[in-house]
């Protein structure tokens, strides 16, 4: 369906957008964290060397060229006088002499900063210091010292990380698109099935509603054709209209019950129930109808049979099962009703010797409006919603319902309900 295809595309697009934002956020956080840690290591060393320059003997202007211990070989020291002129460069050879004046600290406050000189990134620690050193036959006035570290290794590492994140991001996006398509398809399967089921339900409901309405309309039109007839003469048309109206009313009531159950508007009312009394009441109400068809109704009901549930709905469940059994049991057949307690469960069994259900129809008998080929005859009154309502009642009580049937040999519906039900929500 085009509607589901558009929805699928929207889901995939939304998933990819969320994934890209999340990936970029994590990648940015990783990059920033790595940059901070690399720079922090350099800064810590710069500050440590700065303290040594302030309090330890001045290590520069020595005749012998000896490096300071524990100092990164990349570190370059720039000594500036009070006029802002470069006195000399100490240690390190990583800076081109022509670029040294670009580090002039005029107007620069003490502290650490990052400078980019001719495309190369440096970490620079500027420190004010007042040192007078006699060397090479003169006095040198050192006012500021700059410690410069070439960040080329750190920048290469960060660039490599950025490259990996970029490639990984592209690959991940491609994977996200295909994974999103797969997951969106899987996610839409139950929605699509529900949609198709709803469409079938609407179509079946429309068909079922149309039939009694058409019959009522035809018979009412017949009444108008003979306005001089008496009620007795038109009694057949009136009787058919009344029967179809009753059928229509039951159909609408069943549809309303299922619609309210779907929207969770219909809840069970939990209270103490004598299930044995409900079962006997249901059996007695069908006894006379069964006698008309010469059907023997046998009841084996344990007493007392207490449980917690909705008495009205449980009675409706029993009526549905008995009505179903009576409807499809031939004359001189048998219907057996059994109710007993099994530990923490109450078991109800309604078995008949009727026409049975075909094996291929068994998985669908609780579907709405579903009726097997043998049940589609107009002689068999019904809406095809009874067993759907029965299953909802059982589910609402936290129970289970199953059916065993053999075509031509009868059916047996078994309902198991917990003695005390939890909230059905």
């Amino acid at each position: 369906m085009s509607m589901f295809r558009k929805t699928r595309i929207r889901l995939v697009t939304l998933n990819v957008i969320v994934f890209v934002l999340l990936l970029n956020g994590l990648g940015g956080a990783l990059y920033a964290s790595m940059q901070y840690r690399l720079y922090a290591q350099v800064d810590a060393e710069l500050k440590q060397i700065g303290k040594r320059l302030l309090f330890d003997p001045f290590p520069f202007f020595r005749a012998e060229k000896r490096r300071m211990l524990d100092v990164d070989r990349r570190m370059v020291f720039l000594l500036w006088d009070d006029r802002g002129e470069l006195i000399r460069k100490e240690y390190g050879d990583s800076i081109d002499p022509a670029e040294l004046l670009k580090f002039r600290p005029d107007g620069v406050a003490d502290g650490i900063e990052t400078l980019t000189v001719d495309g190369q990134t440096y970490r620079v620690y500027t420190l004010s210091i007042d040192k007078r050193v006699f060397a090479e036959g003169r006095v040198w006035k050192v006012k500021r010292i700059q410690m410069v570290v070439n960040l080329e290794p750190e920048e290469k590492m960060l660039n490599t990380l950025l490259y990996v994140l970029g490639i990984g991001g592209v690959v991940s996006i491609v994977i996200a698109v295909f994974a999103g398509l797969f997951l969106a398809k899987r996610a839409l399967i139950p929605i699509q099935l529900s949609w198709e089921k709803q469409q079938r339900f609407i179509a079946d409901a429309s068909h079922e509603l149309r039939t009694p309405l058409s019959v009522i309309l035809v018979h009412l039109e017949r009444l108008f054709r003979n306005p001089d007839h008496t009620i007795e003469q038109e009694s057949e048309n009136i009787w058919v209209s009344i029967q179809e109206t009753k059928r229509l009313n039951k159909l609408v009531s069943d549809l309303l019950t299922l619609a309210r159950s779907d929207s969770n508007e219909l809840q069970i009312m939990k209270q103490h129930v004598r299930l044995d009394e409900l079962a006997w009441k249901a059996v007695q109400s069908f006894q006379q109808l069964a006698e008309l068809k010469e059907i023997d109704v046998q009841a084996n009901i344990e007493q007392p049979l207490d449980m917690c549930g909705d008495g009205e709905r449980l009675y409706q469940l029993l009526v549905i099962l008995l009505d179903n059994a009576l409807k499809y049991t031939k004359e001189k057949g048998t219907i057996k009703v059994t109710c007993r307690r099994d530990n923490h469960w109450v078991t109800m069994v309604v078995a008949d010797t009727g026409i049975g259900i075909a094996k291929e129809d068994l998985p669908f008998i609780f579907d709405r409006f579903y009726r097997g080929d043998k049940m589609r005859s107009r002689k068999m009154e019904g809406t095809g919603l009874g067993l759907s309502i029965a299953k909802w009642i059982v589910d609402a009580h936290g129970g289970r319902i199953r059916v065993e049937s053999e075509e031509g040999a009868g059916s047996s519906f078994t309902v198991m309900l917990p003695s005390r039900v939890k909230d059905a929500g």
Side-chain angles (χ1 to χ4, degrees):
M1 291 184 182
S2 59
M3 179 185 67
F4 288 102
R5 183 163 56 249
K6 291 179 180 178
T7 303
R8 184 182 177 190
I9 293 174
R10 289 173 185 168
L11 283 175
V12 172
T13 303
L14 182 61
N15 288 337
V16 171
I17 290 174
V18 171
F19 182 81
V20 168
L21 292 176
L22 181 62
L23 184 67
N24 287 340
L26 292 175
L30 177 62
Y31 183 87
S33 174
M34 183 63 70
Q35 185 183 52
Y36 172 79
R37 294 189 65 177
L38 291 174
Y39 281 20
Q41 290 177 356
V42 174
D43 293 350
E45 186 174 4
L46 289 173
K47 290 177 181 179
Q48 183 180 8
I49 299 302
K51 287 182 181 180
R52 290 170 59 182
L53 291 177
L54 288 174
F55 302 107
D56 293 350
F58 209 55
F60 308 115
F61 297 99
R62 294 177 180 178
E64 67 279 7
K65 289 290 183 180
R66 292 187 302 172
R67 295 192 60 82
M68 296 175 63
L69 296 178
D70 304 325
V71 174
D72 193 330
R73 299 184 65 86
R74 294 177 294 162
M75 190 176 296
V76 175
F77 295 85
L78 301 180
L79 281 60
W80 304 88
D81 62 16
D82 53 353
R83 295 175 300 175
E85 299 294 331
L86 179 64
I87 299 176
R88 65 196 299 165
K89 175 178 79 73
E90 292 284 349
Y91 306 146
D93 297 318
S94 58
I95 302 177
D96 190 330
E99 299 175 352
L100 292 177
L101 294 180
K102 295 180 181 180
F103 293 90
R104 190 189 302 272
D106 294 343
V108 177
D110 286 5
I112 300 176
E113 62 178 343
T114 301
L115 293 179
T116 301
V117 178
D118 292 341
Q120 184 61 55
T121 303
Y122 298 90
R123 197 70 169 162
V124 181
Y125 182 20
T126 302
L127 181 66
S128 295
I129 192 171
D130 188 6
K131 293 285 186 179
R132 295 174 180 270
V133 182
F134 181 81
E136 301 176 0
R138 56 172 292 186
V139 176
W140 302 90
K141 298 179 180 179
V142 182
K143 289 296 183 180
R144 307 191 83 177
I145 294 179
Q146 284 182 314
M147 289 157 277
V148 182
V149 177
N150 190 335
L151 295 178
E152 183 177 1
E154 286 79 5
E155 289 298 311
K156 284 183 177 180
M157 186 178 298
L158 290 173
N159 289 337
T160 301
L161 176 61
L162 191 62
Y163 176 78
V164 171
L165 290 175
I167 296 298
V170 173
V171 173
S172 299
I173 290 173
V174 174
I175 295 175
V177 171
F178 286 101
L181 287 170
F182 174 76
L183 293 176
K185 183 179 179 181
R186 291 289 299 272
L188 286 175
I189 286 176
I191 299 176
Q192 189 169 356
L193 291 175
S194 178
W195 172 262
E196 293 173 353
K197 187 176 181 180
Q198 184 183 29
Q199 293 299 99
R200 289 196 303 269
F201 178 71
I202 293 173
D204 291 339
S206 301
H207 174 75
E208 293 290 337
L209 289 169
R210 187 186 302 117
T211 302
L213 286 173
S214 300
V215 173
I216 293 171
L217 180 61
V218 168
H219 285 81
L220 289 177
E221 286 177 349
R222 288 179 180 175
L223 292 177
F224 275 106
R225 291 176 187 172
N226 303 291
D228 55 336
H229 282 192
T230 63
I231 293 178
E232 184 178 356
Q233 290 174 310
E234 295 295 339
S235 60
E236 183 178 351
N237 290 331
I238 295 173
W239 182 83
V240 172
S241 298
I242 291 174
Q243 291 300 110
E244 290 298 322
T245 302
K246 289 181 179 179
R247 180 169 175 267
L248 183 61
N249 182 63
K250 185 178 186 305
L251 176 60
V252 172
S253 177
D254 289 347
L255 288 172
L256 180 61
T257 298
L258 290 172
R260 293 176 63 189
S261 68
D262 286 344
S263 60
N264 291 325
E265 293 180 13
L266 199 59
Q267 304 292 333
I268 62 170
M269 303 297 293
K270 295 183 297 180
Q271 57 187 352
H272 175 261
V273 174
R274 283 287 301 270
L275 189 63
D276 54 310
E277 294 179 355
L278 293 179
W280 278 114
K281 180 181 176 182
V283 169
Q284 290 170 2
S285 66
F286 278 87
Q287 195 74 48
Q288 292 182 349
L289 294 174
E291 289 176 357
L292 293 175
K293 293 180 64 175
E294 298 182 11
I295 294 175
D296 182 25
V297 178
Q298 302 174 2
N300 181 13
I301 301 173
E302 180 181 326
Q303 293 180 326
L305 206 54
D306 299 300
M307 67 170 292
C308 182
D310 189 322
E312 182 180 348
R313 294 300 173 187
L314 291 173
Y315 180 76
Q316 184 182 10
L317 169 64
L318 287 163
V319 168
I320 290 172
L321 296 180
L322 283 169
D323 180 66
N324 196 68
L326 185 63
K327 191 183 302 178
Y328 300 112
T329 300
K330 297 178 181 180
E331 292 182 357
K332 299 183 179 180
T334 302
I335 297 175
K336 294 182 180 179
V337 179
T338 304
C339 294
R340 64 179 182 272
R341 183 180 301 280
D342 294 323
N343 294 325
H344 299 293
W345 294 84
V346 174
T347 302
M348 296 187 298
V349 181
V350 178
D352 61 66
T353 57
I355 61 177
I357 305 170
K359 185 179 295 184
E360 61 270 17
D361 293 328
L362 283 175
F364 310 105
I365 61 170
F366 295 108
D367 292 350
R368 298 172 185 184
F369 289 114
Y370 186 85
R371 284 179 284 185
D373 293 336
K374 292 185 178 180
M375 302 180 187
R376 295 187 182 276
S377 171
R378 294 297 300 168
K379 295 179 182 179
M380 298 292 188
E381 296 182 0
T383 62
L385 298 175
L387 290 179
S388 298
I389 295 175
K391 188 175 189 308
W392 168 76
I393 294 172
V394 173
D395 290 343
H397 282 79
R400 300 189 297 269
I401 183 171
R402 70 175 188 272
V403 58
E404 298 174 357
S405 184
E406 184 178 346
E407 198 169 2
S411 305
S412 176
F413 286 84
T414 301
V415 176
M416 296 184 66
L417 300 172
S419 297
R420 307 193 67 83
V421 298
K422 300 177 182 178
D423 276 328

